[in-house]
Amino acid sequence: MKNIARIVVGVLFLTGGMAQPSYAHDTVKDAIASARQKMKASDFDGAAKDAEEALRLAGTDSGERVNVLLLEANLAEARKDLTGAQTIYEKILAGSDALPAQRVVAINKLAEFLKTGRQLGAAHIPASVQSAGKQFDAIRSLYLQALDSKEFQSSPERADLLIALARLHEANYNFAKAGDYYAQAFDFPQTSRSNRLAALRSLGATLVAQNRFEDARTQFARISELPDVTPTERSKAILDAAQASEAEGDFPAAKASLLQAAQVEGLTPGQRTAPLAALAKFYAARTDWEGFMKTLAEIRAVNGSVDLMTLRQQALLAKALGKEDEEEKVWDEVLAQTDLPDRALVEPLNKKLALLAARRDPDALKVFLSGMAGRKLVPVQRATLDILSAVLAVPAGDFTKFQAPTFAEPDAEKLANAYFEAGKVMMYLRDFDAARFLAQKGESLFVKSPERLYEVPFVEQAPRGVSGWLNSPLLKDASRREARFEEYNKQAAALLVNDVNAERTVVADAAGKKAPVAFFMAADAQGWHVFIEYKDEEAEQVLAGLLPGGGLEIYMVPGMSEPYYQLMLDVPSGKRQFIDWSSPNRHYRPADDFVTTEVAPIPGGFGVSLVFPWEMINDKLPQADDTWPFGLVNFGRGGAFTWGSGQVHELSRFGKVSFPAITKALPAIHRWIVLRAFAKYKKSAETAKVVWNDPEKGDPEFFETVLLPEMNRLGELGKHVSTKMSEKDSERLFQETVPAWMEFGYWIAERRTHFLADKLMTK
């Protein structure tokens, strides 16, 4: 027909009737292929011209004309004209020219529109089917109508519709109904071999979902009975049976099937890789290091290398078993692969950085960064490494000499995130000045948020616990209620998924919502007290376990140049997790040993009480003109909100607290710390006496010559300690004796080292 049309055109040209058209393509197939290439390049106008030419070339060939219509529908989708695309698909189904395979394409596309209409643009989806249940009914009706039509009574494409309908029910968790349709697809005489194989595997999977494990294994075994079954297909069927046994909890049977799948006769060495990888995954799930490594060796033997997913499993298994050296070797192996795309390097690189930082070895980190200098990475990760290299090159903490790298990433927010990620690494290295400097560099790229400042009042006795706060007049003073929370930066929340320190429940968007939290603060001679109102209209359901609660993340920094304290607190369970950002030492005491917390139901939600006792920070008490960074982030069902900062771990963006009336309260605070320090010392001294004066387990000589004289001196000073001691005595004891009383354990360790060194030198 096409050639006849061209002859007619030629005759018309010779007779002067019309000019002969010029075609850029020889066939409809060529024109359609060209259009699809242009669509990929977003050249939609060029694709439309190719589609017009394809339609001219198709002439009266109905099948080719439908192919062009399908192309035009794809083009409409690419242009986000979903109403236009739907109209074309409906036109194909309404006509009689489309072949069964073409009708299946149109039906599947309309089903996709019905299913994902809200995401793609719901304007073209009738309001009557926009709810989830009605969408399901509409899609099912679409397939059932097609199955009843004469075009699909004997064509092989009937199996495509049956399988699609089965998957619809499977996605709706109706596994029995899905299994019925898979069985129909398998039994239909005209079903193609590939569809018959797919239907049988899917039928077995629905049986597994119904805990009918033996029936599932029976269906998987039937695959071997299909004509011309290949070794790979037989191996996959055995793997499916293994997964059924594993789901049943019959691990010996699962292991036996996995071993069998790898030994199917006729498999090439390369084809054995998939079942061996499945076996390795099985061993990893059982934390069987020996079995995993043996299987890994087999994979290397048959394939020469190991796929990225299996290497990742090896690294995670090593980490779970505490084999950090083995874990690091795996990530090194991955990073040594120069042909990996930059996206594949994100996790390995992050893991390697975390391991190096955890070792607190800046020299090893410098060597690693040098080795990665020329590597192509995703822009943010490249920027993070360049920033780390630059900050590690700064001499003796003189950040005026920091040479900012040249960045390929122009996006300010992504660049800020690179500074924050580099700052986290420096935090792990305990280089707090560098971490703070990088946080400030990142912050400088943001529009500055209003600074929050809370002035903590001093009272004679602050409320104790949730009930104490509820009955306190402080709670009735609206001027003391701090509720200026802002939405938690969503991208910051996404970054925290990779924060190794803690798990957070980061919900979706909090836009337009009001924070459910507010807080009050007060201080007295014993400590700094915080009360948090946590509103929750569904508190009863939360307490019953019918709804999840929420969480609080609290940061406190006792001075601008100090390592900070971090607390994760679950509401309403009260479960808490402290994260220490420095190793315990004379000047950094683990908060878990000092801070008290309480979570309890109150009208309208929950109350949270915290106390930071002064003895925890006895050597860094605030002064009247000090402002201390303080951060409070709420993660809950209704969103995430923060006080004073858009991101956690950004000390320079935290809110601030001050203690303007502390000067007058310092004598009472010092007195209380003296009482607490002497009580702590008495317990430590009693323990030291028992331990070190024991002839078998201790060292009586060390006790008599070193410890006892000091204990006698400190004990003598303790005679001045009483609740009635004068301010002069308490001040003298605070200055001269509290450091020794509070840190007697460290004093013993230091003196023990000197004692043993002296004895060694004497010998």
Side-chain angles (χ1 to χ4, degrees):
M1 184 66 70
K2 180 175 68 177
N3 291 334
I4 294 173
R6 285 182 172 174
I7 292 170
V8 171
V9 169
V11 171
L12 288 171
F13 174 73
L14 291 172
T15 59
M18 63 178 289
Q20 183 177 6
S22 174
Y23 290 100
H25 304 285
D26 293 330
T27 65
V28 176
K29 183 178 179 181
D30 291 341
I32 289 176
S34 174
R36 294 197 183 283
Q37 286 296 324
K38 290 175 181 175
M39 283 168 58
K40 286 182 180 179
S42 298
D43 179 9
F44 301 133
D45 291 340
K49 290 179 181 178
D50 283 341
E52 291 175 4
E53 184 169 333
L55 189 61
R56 290 197 298 270
L57 289 169
T60 59
D61 187 324
S62 58
E64 292 284 37
R65 293 184 71 85
V66 173
N67 282 335
V68 177
L69 283 176
L70 289 171
L71 170 67
E72 290 176 342
N74 293 159
L75 180 56
E77 286 185 72
R79 283 175 157 165
K80 308 300 181 186
D81 178 13
L82 303 180
T83 302
Q86 179 182 346
T87 301
I88 295 172
Y89 290 130
E90 289 173 343
K91 177 181 178 181
I92 291 170
L93 293 180
S96 58
D97 293 339
L99 299 171
Q102 294 168 325
R103 288 181 176 277
V104 168
V105 172
I107 291 168
N108 286 339
K109 278 293 184 179
L110 288 175
E112 179 185 328
F113 281 3
L114 287 168
K115 181 180 178 182
T116 61
R118 279 197 175 96
Q119 287 73 32
L120 296 175
H124 67 289
I125 303 297
S128 59
V129 297
Q130 282 193 17
S131 70
K134 290 180 179 179
Q135 284 179 359
F136 172 82
D137 291 339
I139 297 170
R140 180 179 59 180
S141 176
L142 188 65
Y143 284 115
L144 289 175
Q145 287 177 17
L147 286 168
D148 287 341
S149 65
K150 63 180 181 180
E151 292 91 350
F152 291 104
Q153 296 309 305
S154 59
S155 69
E157 286 77 16
R158 181 178 181 83
D160 292 308
L161 297 176
L162 288 167
I163 289 173
L165 191 54
R167 287 174 179 160
L168 176 67
H169 283 283
E170 194 171 3
N172 209 44
Y173 300 102
N174 189 341
F175 299 111
K177 193 70 174 176
D180 289 343
Y181 283 117
Y182 283 130
Q184 289 182 45
F186 179 82
D187 293 333
F188 182 60
Q190 280 75 38
T191 297
S192 66
R193 183 183 178 280
S194 60
N195 269 345
R196 183 163 281 129
L197 182 64
L200 205 53
R201 291 190 70 189
S202 297
L203 173 58
T206 62
L207 292 168
V208 171
Q210 298 172 73
N211 295 329
R212 294 170 57 185
F213 303 109
E214 190 58 43
D215 291 340
R217 285 189 287 268
T218 298
Q219 297 303 321
F220 294 138
R222 291 176 66 191
I223 292 175
S224 296
E225 301 169 6
L226 294 175
D228 302 322
V229 64
T230 67
T232 301
E233 291 166 345
R234 185 175 285 110
S235 178
K236 286 181 179 178
I238 299 171
L239 285 178
D240 290 335
Q243 291 173 357
S245 296
E246 189 172 3
E248 188 179 11
D250 188 350
F251 301 124
K255 180 179 176 180
S257 294
L258 288 166
L259 291 167
Q260 181 186 356
Q263 301 299 328
V264 167
E265 185 178 354
L267 286 178
T268 66
Q271 291 169 342
R272 289 188 63 214
T273 302
L276 285 172
L279 181 60
K281 182 179 178 182
F282 174 84
Y283 284 129
R286 314 271 91 71
T287 62
D288 183 344
W289 179 258
E290 183 179 352
F292 184 93
M293 294 304 292
K294 180 180 178 182
T295 306
L296 198 66
E298 287 190 67
I299 293 174
R300 291 189 190 280
V302 301
N303 199 45
S305 61
V306 181
D307 67 280
L308 190 60
M309 183 59 68
T310 304
L311 285 174
R312 181 177 185 274
Q313 289 169 356
Q314 181 188 0
L316 297 179
L317 177 58
K319 180 178 178 64
L321 295 173
K323 299 177 179 289
E324 290 187 358
D325 290 343
E326 293 291 338
E327 180 193 0
E328 190 166 359
K329 286 179 184 176
V330 178
W331 296 126
D332 285 340
E333 180 179 349
V334 174
L335 292 170
Q337 298 180 29
T338 56
D339 58 341
L340 290 177
D342 51 12
R343 284 284 170 193
L345 297 173
V346 171
E347 183 187 29
L349 191 49
N350 285 339
K351 296 291 188 182
K352 176 70 175 182
L353 282 175
L355 287 166
L356 289 170
R359 289 211 306 266
R360 301 177 194 170
D361 187 348
D363 291 334
L365 180 57
K366 288 178 183 178
V367 171
F368 173 72
L369 292 171
S370 176
M372 297 296 295
R375 196 71 180 270
K376 184 179 182 300
L377 305 172
V378 296
V380 171
Q381 207 164 40
R382 177 74 272 161
T384 301
L385 265 61
D386 290 344
I387 291 167
L388 282 171
S389 296
V391 80
L392 287 169
V394 169
D398 183 2
F399 297 110
T400 61
K401 293 184 170 58
F402 176 78
Q403 297 292 321
T406 301
F407 301 108
E409 177 55 68
D411 187 297
E413 187 169 7
K414 291 180 180 179
L415 186 54
N417 289 335
Y419 274 108
F420 297 144
E421 288 299 315
K424 286 183 185 180
V425 174
M426 300 311 294
M427 187 73 78
Y428 292 131
L429 288 172
R430 299 296 187 260
D431 189 340
F432 301 111
D433 289 337
R436 194 170 291 108
F437 169 76
L438 294 175
Q440 290 168 349
K441 291 286 288 184
E443 179 201 354
S444 68
L445 298 170
F446 285 94
V447 175
K448 189 169 179 61
S449 302
E451 187 171 276
R452 308 288 191 233
L453 174 65
Y454 191 101
E455 294 185 352
V456 182
F458 271 82
V459 296
E460 186 174 345
Q461 184 170 338
R464 295 294 190 272
V466 173
S467 61
W469 275 98
L470 288 180
N471 295 314
S472 170
L474 290 171
L475 221 58
K476 298 178 176 63
D477 185 352
S479 67
R480 291 295 172 189
R481 186 174 187 270
E482 178 56 86
R484 294 175 296 169
F485 282 75
E486 55 189 331
E487 292 174 37
Y488 186 76
N489 182 297
K490 285 186 292 183
Q491 188 153 8
L495 286 173
L496 291 175
V497 172
N498 295 321
D499 188 342
V500 299
N501 285 311
E503 294 183 3
R504 303 167 175 85
T505 302
V506 180
V507 299
D509 200 348
K513 296 182 180 179
K514 187 177 179 181
V517 289
F519 66 80
F520 297 79
M521 291 184 183
D524 60 15
Q526 297 181 13
W528 169 20
H529 305 255
V530 183
F531 178 73
I532 302 169
E533 287 181 349
Y534 195 122
K535 292 184 178 180
D536 193 330
E537 295 177 355
E538 305 294 343
E540 186 176 9
Q541 291 199 63
V542 172
L543 287 169
L546 297 174
L547 285 176
L552 297 170
E553 191 159 358
I554 300 159
Y555 300 83
M556 185 273 281
V557 189
M560 290 304 294
S561 298
E562 299 294 334
Y564 63 90
Y565 293 91
Q566 180 182 359
L567 164 63
M568 312 286 291
L569 188 65
D570 182 77
V571 178
S573 73
K575 181 181 178 183
R576 65 189 206 173
Q577 178 190 4
F578 286 92
I579 298 159
D580 295 327
W581 285 94
S582 181
S583 300
N585 58 66
R586 283 180 175 273
H587 306 291
Y588 186 92
R589 302 162 191 88
D592 201 12
D593 297 341
F594 293 90
V595 176
T596 59
T597 58
E598 181 189 9
V599 181
I602 63 173
F606 302 96
V608 181
S609 169
L610 300 96
V611 181
F612 298 99
W614 295 124
E615 64 261 27
M616 182 179 81
I617 48 176
N618 67 83
D619 52 348
K620 48 180 75 75
L621 295 173
Q623 301 300 309
D625 57 350
D626 287 348
T627 56
W628 284 7
F630 179 84
L632 175 57
V633 187
N634 160 235
F635 298 93
R637 298 190 309 279
F641 302 88
T642 180
W643 183 76
S645 170
Q647 286 221 64
V648 300
H649 298 305
E650 290 180 70
L651 300 187
S652 59
R653 300 185 73 197
F654 279 5
K656 302 292 190 299
V657 296
S658 66
F659 304 86
I662 193 171
T663 302
K664 186 177 179 180
L666 278 176
I669 293 173
H670 291 170
R671 174 183 171 278
W672 177 253
I673 291 174
V674 167
L675 292 171
R676 294 291 295 161
F678 185 56
K680 183 173 186 265
Y681 163 73
K682 287 172 69 176
K683 292 180 181 178
S684 300
E686 189 60 35
T687 301
K689 181 178 179 180
V690 172
V691 172
W692 292 108
N693 203 28
D694 187 319
E696 294 183 3
K697 299 180 180 179
D699 186 340
E701 181 188 356
F702 173 66
F703 176 76
E704 292 288 342
T705 61
V706 179
L707 294 191
L708 189 56
E710 180 66 7
M711 289 167 62
N712 289 337
R713 185 184 76 85
L714 294 175
E716 191 66 24
L717 289 169
K719 292 179 180 180
H720 298 282
V721 177
S722 76
T723 56
K724 297 180 181 180
M725 63 184 159
S726 67
E727 183 177 323
K728 181 179 179 181
D729 282 342
S730 68
E731 285 298 315
R732 180 173 61 86
L733 291 170
F734 178 80
Q735 299 296 335
E736 298 177 4
T737 317
V738 162
W741 282 343
M742 285 295 296
E743 313 303 340
F744 190 57
Y746 286 110
W747 185 89
I748 292 175
E750 291 165 1
R751 292 301 181 271
R752 180 64 176 171
T753 300
H754 292 310
F755 176 79
L756 294 176
D758 289 344
K759 289 192 72 171
L760 184 61
M761 293 299 293
T762 301
K763 289 182 179 180

